[in-house]
Amino acid sequence: MEPIRSVLKEELSNSLVLRKKYEKALKKLPKGVLVCKVIKGHKYYYLAKREGSKVKYLYKGKLSKKEIEKFNQAKRMRKKYRKLISEANKQIKFLKKSIKSGKKTH
């Protein structure tokens, strides 16, 4: 049973490192989401950010397709990292429970 526990502990350590890596990458991404408002037939962009319980809109003006894609890419990456963090948390919880239950059998 000891070799299995050591493998589980190693996997737990790897999962903790991965979670930290994902959280660090998530923090590097720009905050907020791009919102497009059409005013008199012209598109204007705002960056919506949450500050406490309020949502603030920062005027960005008219943006190029390249700039819009950059914000959309950041949004996709945030979603990806949040999902990876959630999966890592589930795995960490499972591994901790497995290691703990392995100790009780002795």
Side-chain angles (χ1 to χ4, degrees):
M1 191 66 156
E2 193 56 41
I4 293 173
R5 189 174 308 130
S6 67
V7 169
L8 289 174
K9 285 180 180 179
E10 185 179 334
E11 190 59 35
L12 175 61
S13 175
N14 291 340
S15 295
L16 290 167
V17 168
L18 274 176
R19 180 178 67 181
K20 216 168 223 161
K21 181 180 163 187
Y22 297 148
E23 287 170 345
K24 193 174 184 179
L26 185 63
K27 284 182 181 178
K28 286 183 181 178
L29 292 173
K31 302 273 189 245
V33 64
L34 202 60
V35 177
C36 177
K37 294 186 180 184
V38 180
I39 301 169
K40 294 184 182 178
H42 297 283
K43 290 182 180 180
Y44 297 95
Y45 292 91
Y46 295 81
L47 187 63
K49 286 182 165 182
R50 182 166 294 282
E51 291 180 8
S53 62
K54 295 184 178 187
V55 176
K56 301 279 184 171
Y57 291 91
L58 303 167
Y59 178 68
K60 297 304 258 178
K62 295 180 181 182
L63 299 177
S64 68
K65 288 183 181 181
K66 186 176 178 181
E67 290 172 307
I68 294 167
E69 182 54 35
K70 185 181 92 171
F71 281 105
N72 290 336
Q73 177 67 21
K75 182 180 175 182
R76 287 191 294 272
M77 294 303 292
R78 265 196 312 277
K79 182 178 178 181
K80 175 186 168 188
Y81 284 125
R82 284 184 182 134
K83 183 178 181 191
L84 289 169
I85 290 168
S86 173
E87 290 171 359
N89 284 336
K90 287 175 188 172
Q91 186 167 353
I92 289 165
K93 184 178 177 182
F94 171 78
L95 291 167
K96 283 182 177 179
K97 196 182 291 185
S98 298
I99 292 168
K100 193 174 186 180
S101 68
K103 288 181 181 178
K104 289 180 183 177
T105 58
H106 285 105

